[in-house]
Amino acid sequence: MSDLEAYRAKAAAWLESMVPTYGKAARKGLSEADDLALARKYQKAKFDAGYAGINWPTEFGGQGKGHLEKVTFDTEEMKHGFPSFYFGISLGMPIPVLMQFGEDKAWVKERVLKALQGEEIWCQLFSEPAGGSDLAGLRTKAEPDGNGWKINGQKVWTSWAHYSDYGVIVVRTDPNVPKHKGLTYFWVDMKAPGVTVRPIKLVGGDSHVNEVFFDDVKIGDDHRMSPVGGGFAVAIATLMIERYVATDSAGFGPHLDLFVELAKDTELNGKPAIEDGRIRQQIARNYAMRSGLQSITARAMAMMQAGMTPGPEGSLNKLVAVRSRQKLSELAIDLQGSDGFTYDDHASQKEDWTSSWINAPTGRIAGGSDETLLNTIAEKILGLPQDHRPDKGVPFNQIPA
Ligand SMILES: Cc1cc2nc3c(=O)[nH]c(=O)nc-3n(C[C@H](O)[C@H](O)[C@H](O)COP(=O)(O)OP(=O)(O)OC[C@H]3O[C@@H](n4cnc5c(N)ncnc54)[C@H](O)[C@@H]3O)c2cc1C
């Protein structure tokens, strides 16, 4: 058995032992507040067992292991429906970025340890009504204020802002220069006076995204995580990490095995659907595609393990995986006939086809929309010419709104 397989076996056994306390059955019927409380305990248990911050440096409280161990653990963990998603953004992007760019290392270490143990949650305040795919179009501004800054404006689609203690934020500090050059990256205290969080209800029924308003929110210059005007580079570093957090070949929907089970249990023209050639073709197609994505991910992880930076293939993964999840979920609903319309607000998107289908469009937008990813693939992988960019080089305050 290789070292990695031994690691997998040990992690799988530990995860199995957590199922009675934190698995799907233990969470069934819990209110969101109780589920979050359970999630915090699960995160602490992970930390105590050495499975939190697996590939993070030991000086910040991580385990100092490789990306392959991290992916191995995540793959095993995904099988059980533990409540780890509350920390997905927090531990996925803001905390790794804080470790890289936070100046006060003692303060950073304290935050990292609290986040790793589920005590504190961070959110990512990037998107705005005028700055989503085109992040550099954002309008929330920070102006000098005494020794620090004053923030005014609005963010939108901020996942878990309502539970967050802190957030990382990109704001405009100079409207007189071209749009990418006038941005600065800060961290903010989400409980500071002037911060208002308002939930947005998604079509699937949950409200994990929010609008966040900043009214004269005062922050010190020690909250700054980039040079003044150099925020776009740190934002891009954050988004590059994000692409590799999104590495589930099932597109965060149900596993293909569940579709095979459904096809065995459902009748099509008087026979089990699994015997139908078109259904078998879909299973084969999805299996081949998911295996391909897993290979791309494994190669990217091996490159990272070897100290290299993987290319833009992370874009390919999310684009293909979420689109195919949506199509497969649609087919699964069709197969169930009128039973496919049954909808349970609390059903897991990873196990329930209707929930997976109705929530799939958000997956095709969040973390980079399909069209943006297609542009990245066209320009960065296929070497096609850049999109038309009429605002290139134009000072931000001269771009027509
Ligand atoms: C569930 C969910 C969670 C999210 N969580 C967060 C979060 O925690 N933090 C955060 O900061 N943001 C978050 N977002 C926001 C997300 O990053 C943005 O929604 C996304 O970047 C798209 O931006 P937009 O919504 O402004 O759409 P727009 O950029 O306005 O795009 C509208 C449409 O135009 C297309 N389009 C835009 N530009 C181009 C182009 N150049 N070429 C071709 N087509 C184009 C888009 O693909 C899309 O179809 C979340 C979104 C969702 C749905």
Side-chain angles (χ1 to χ4, degrees):
M1 193 190 277
S2 71
D3 285 353
L4 194 63
E5 282 315 306
Y7 183 83
R8 181 190 299 278
K10 207 169 154 210
W14 182 80
L15 286 163
E16 202 66 54
S17 75
M18 292 293 113
V19 169
T21 321
Y22 305 108
K24 278 174 285 205
R27 294 178 51 214
K28 207 171 165 65
L30 291 185
S31 66
E32 193 168 282
D34 288 343
D35 196 42
L36 174 60
L38 192 79
R40 290 188 195 272
K41 285 189 190 149
Y42 171 61
Q43 188 59 35
K44 173 80 168 76
K46 262 168 84 168
F47 180 83
D48 292 342
Y51 292 122
I54 292 172
N55 55 342
W56 291 5
T58 46
E59 67 261 32
F60 285 113
Q63 298 298 318
K65 295 196 184 306
H67 298 290
L68 293 178
E69 281 87 350
K70 163 85 168 87
V71 173
T72 302
F73 181 84
D74 287 355
T75 311
E76 291 300 319
E77 186 186 40
M78 255 181 241
K79 296 176 182 168
H80 302 287
F82 295 125
S84 39
F85 45 86
Y86 296 105
F87 313 110
I89 300 274
S90 178
L91 300 176
M93 284 82 66
I95 296 286
V97 166
L98 187 70
M99 285 192 289
Q100 201 178 336
F101 296 98
E103 288 276 306
D104 179 350
K105 295 300 175 201
W107 186 84
V108 169
K109 182 170 182 180
E110 199 183 324
R111 300 284 74 71
V112 175
L113 284 171
K114 290 207 184 247
L116 277 180
Q117 296 177 76
E119 283 175 44
E120 289 178 354
I121 298 178
W122 284 62
C123 60
Q124 183 169 318
L125 298 145
F126 280 22
S127 304
E128 295 183 12
S133 300
D134 179 19
L135 176 64
L138 62 83
R139 292 174 183 276
T140 295
K141 59 180 181 185
E143 296 161 303
D145 180 66
N147 292 330
W149 301 84
K150 189 173 66 182
I151 303 181
N152 277 292
Q154 181 201 344
K155 295 287 172 179
V156 74
W157 308 122
T158 320
S159 302
W160 310 115
H162 51 314
Y163 293 136
S164 290
D165 302 282
Y166 300 98
V168 287
I169 185 167
V170 192
V171 291
R172 187 162 306 279
T173 42
D174 187 354
N176 301 304
V177 292
K179 60 181 183 177
H180 294 91
K181 300 203 166 134
L183 305 174
T184 305
Y185 199 114
F186 294 93
W187 63 265
V188 282
D189 180 347
M190 291 297 286
K191 311 281 190 261
V195 179
T196 308
V197 177
R198 272 201 223 144
I200 300 173
K201 190 163 184 179
L202 293 174
V203 68
D206 80 281
S207 306
H208 81 268
V209 290
N210 302 274
E211 296 180 292
V212 184
F213 298 88
F214 291 85
D215 294 303
D216 286 340
V217 176
K218 293 190 175 166
I219 57 170
D221 191 53
D222 56 350
H223 289 37
R224 190 159 52 79
M225 288 165 69
S226 76
V228 176
F232 196 70
V234 180
I236 290 298
T238 315
L239 296 175
M240 284 300 123
I241 300 173
E242 186 167 12
R243 294 285 138 82
Y244 282 93
V245 174
T247 50
D248 177 7
S249 69
F252 305 99
H255 196 272
L256 192 57
D257 287 354
L258 287 181
F259 187 81
V260 173
E261 290 303 316
L262 178 74
K264 282 182 186 163
D265 295 343
T266 320
E267 284 213 341
L268 194 61
N269 298 327
K271 285 195 290 190
I274 191 86
E275 291 177 21
D276 185 278
R278 287 161 304 175
I279 297 295
R280 296 172 83 83
Q281 188 192 43
Q282 284 307 320
I283 293 171
R285 181 187 285 266
N286 275 277
Y287 180 79
M289 195 203 56
R290 290 178 181 204
S291 303
L293 292 179
Q294 278 158 10
S295 302
I296 293 175
T297 302
R299 193 176 58 179
M301 292 299 160
M303 285 172 76
M304 286 161 86
Q305 190 90 330
M308 297 156 79
T309 307
E313 57 270 23
S315 307
L316 199 70
N317 204 322
K318 191 180 94 74
L319 175 76
V320 178
V322 183
R323 282 212 288 207
S324 77
R325 155 194 162 184
Q326 193 174 16
K327 278 192 177 166
L328 194 68
S329 304
E330 193 176 301
L331 182 60
I333 293 172
D334 264 357
L335 269 182
Q336 294 172 74
S338 51
D339 287 350
F341 289 123
T342 315
Y343 188 69
D344 172 3
D345 258 5
H346 302 291
S348 157
Q349 295 178 43
K350 290 197 71 66
E351 281 152 31
D352 180 88
W353 293 105
T354 316
S355 176
S356 165
W357 178 76
I358 210 157
N359 288 296
T362 59
R364 291 181 64 173
I365 300 170
S369 65
D370 280 11
E371 291 79 7
T372 310
L373 298 177
L374 282 167
N375 276 349
T376 305
I377 292 164
E379 292 172 17
K380 302 270 167 46
I381 299 181
L382 301 177
L384 295 175
Q386 273 204 344
D387 227 6
H388 179 49
R389 286 182 183 139
D391 54 7
K392 205 170 176 178
V394 179
F396 181 75
N397 54 12
Q398 288 176 31
I399 300 170

